[in-house]
Amino acid sequence: MDFRLKVFYTVATRLNFTKAASELYISQPAVSKHIQELEETYKTKLFERNGSKIALTPAGEILLKHTKNIFEIYREIDFDMSSFINERQGLLRLGASTTISQYIISPVLARFHQKQQDIKVNLLNGNTEQIENALINKEIEIGIVEGQSKNQSIKYIPFLKDELVLVCNTKNLLVKQTEISLEDLKSMKFITRERGSGTLEVIEYALKQVNVKLTDLQIEMQLGSTESIKSYLLNSDCFAFMSIHAVDKELKNNELIVLDVKDLSIERFFYIIILLGKSDSLSELFIQNISSYYNLKL
């Protein structure tokens, strides 16, 4: 593999020469030298430099696209060839949306590592939209997400069933009510995830089916993670729709409580996502492991 391409890829993804040098364990002048050599080879600039900031030129964008494809081929070669000597090696880049990375995927990764100790796994965390974009940009091979936005270049494989429940602090006065009506929801204060979150997408769709708009709710704050929402609920009189997997510990500890909402049930699947028409041996191996862990037939 041409090391200059590895240097270019690192600079192009970090858009920072100093960070690239640190990541590659080489000096910043060495990084600059490799980039200069590539620019001389292709007789075109790969980066625009504006003070301390850099950006890819159109030629740089094209080279980045080809570099990603080259690295993908090398990754598949390493894994497939190592399989012949029963020493499976390689790098698997996963992406998981927030709820899944925090509450679902860890035991699967631990078991996978026990079986395949020479396979390195990198896990990218973000909301559903960010994970789908990372897959499309070939920054990861597999994603596991909460929403299903139906991007036409992505294959969605139903993975695990989930339920979103209405929760609040056990000290909340509404806890005494046996059931919450749809009209009650409009007078309650809510904490939600940010736009781009698969959870928010599912909540919005479910409410729409019972003629309640997201804008009908009094949203006190939007927070970027499930943990921050739980912490907020524990210190306020607000409410939130959350995955039952995410609040398991708090329910057992009697810190949060589930409230029933009349005529509203929010069920969803978590999805494994891969690029449509694109598969490789290492990704297939991981999907087999994750499905056997949860006794699924994918």
Side-chain angles (χ1 to χ4, degrees):
M1 185 189 298
D2 190 336
F3 184 69
R4 293 178 305 173
L5 285 181
K6 188 171 184 180
V7 173
F8 166 75
Y9 176 81
T10 309
V11 175
T13 51
R14 300 288 175 265
L15 291 177
N16 187 297
F17 278 74
T18 306
K19 288 180 180 177
S22 174
E23 193 171 319
L24 294 165
Y25 301 103
I26 59 177
S27 67
Q28 192 170 327
V31 170
S32 300
K33 182 174 178 290
H34 286 301
I35 298 300
Q36 187 181 349
E37 286 177 1
L38 279 174
E39 290 179 331
E40 288 171 358
T41 298
Y42 297 119
K43 297 181 176 62
T44 186
K45 287 178 68 175
L46 300 172
F47 295 97
E48 294 286 357
R49 295 162 179 82
N50 183 9
S52 60
K53 294 183 178 179
I54 62 169
L56 283 165
T57 63
E61 294 277 6
I62 293 292
L63 185 59
L64 178 59
K65 178 185 172 185
H66 288 305
T67 303
K68 285 179 180 178
N69 290 335
I70 290 167
F71 287 172
E72 194 174 345
I73 292 167
Y74 270 108
R75 193 184 64 81
E76 290 178 24
I77 290 171
D78 287 343
F79 178 73
D80 288 343
M81 297 310 290
S82 69
S83 300
F84 281 102
I85 54 171
N86 293 320
E87 292 179 8
R88 286 172 162 166
Q89 298 174 347
L91 169 65
L92 180 63
R93 299 173 304 170
L94 296 177
S97 51
T98 311
T99 300
I100 293 162
S101 63
Q102 287 179 320
Y103 310 107
I104 305 292
I105 199 69
S106 295
V108 180
L109 293 179
R111 178 172 141 165
F112 185 73
H113 179 69
Q114 286 171 358
K115 288 184 172 183
Q116 310 290 344
Q117 294 186 9
D118 291 325
I119 294 174
K120 185 180 178 185
V121 177
N122 287 352
L123 178 64
L124 172 72
N125 182 26
N127 64 33
T128 294
E129 186 178 9
Q130 290 165 336
I131 298 305
E132 288 187 350
N133 286 337
L135 183 69
I136 291 165
N137 293 329
K138 296 187 176 179
E139 293 162 10
I140 57 174
E141 283 78 49
I142 303 174
I144 308 173
V145 297
E146 302 158 38
Q148 189 185 13
S149 60
K150 289 290 185 186
N151 187 302
Q152 292 188 344
S153 60
I154 293 175
K155 180 179 181 182
Y156 294 83
I157 306 167
F159 158 51
L160 193 63
K161 201 170 187 180
D162 182 35
E163 183 181 5
L164 293 170
V165 291
L166 181 66
V167 293
C168 68
N169 192 314
T170 47
K171 299 183 182 70
N172 196 298
L173 295 176
L174 280 183
V175 165
K176 295 172 184 176
Q177 284 190 214
T178 53
E179 198 171 53
I180 304 294
S181 72
L182 293 173
E183 200 58 35
D184 288 335
L185 293 177
K186 297 176 183 179
S187 61
M188 295 157 62
K189 291 182 292 182
F190 281 87
I191 307 298
T192 70
R193 286 286 306 280
E194 77 292 353
R195 283 286 170 190
S197 157
T199 299
L200 185 62
E201 181 186 282
V202 171
I203 293 166
E204 189 169 14
Y205 179 79
L207 289 174
K208 191 177 177 183
Q209 303 310 300
V210 290
N211 297 314
V212 178
K213 297 175 187 172
L214 200 60
T215 50
D216 291 336
L217 306 183
Q218 295 181 38
I219 297 174
E220 182 165 308
M221 197 171 294
Q222 290 187 324
L223 297 174
S225 76
T226 306
E227 284 299 308
S228 58
I229 290 177
K230 287 197 292 184
S231 181
Y232 198 103
L233 290 179
L234 292 171
N235 293 281
S236 75
D237 59 353
C238 289
F239 301 81
F241 286 104
M242 304 189 77
S243 165
I244 194 74
H245 294 286
V247 292
D248 183 59
K249 185 179 75 173
E250 288 75 17
L251 294 177
K252 286 176 180 173
N253 292 341
N254 202 32
E255 295 171 311
L256 295 177
I257 190 168
V258 173
L259 302 178
D260 288 327
V261 183
K262 184 175 170 59
D263 301 322
L264 182 66
S265 173
I266 310 179
E267 293 184 339
R268 64 172 175 183
F269 273 97
F270 294 137
Y271 291 89
I272 295 171
I273 58 172
I274 56 175
L275 284 177
L276 206 60
K278 179 76 184 79
S279 186
D280 61 82
S281 306
L282 182 46
S283 296
E284 287 171 6
L285 178 68
F286 182 78
I287 291 172
Q288 284 170 11
N289 271 263
I290 198 171
S291 58
S292 66
Y293 183 87
Y294 285 105
N295 296 316
L296 304 172
K297 292 180 180 179
L298 300 182

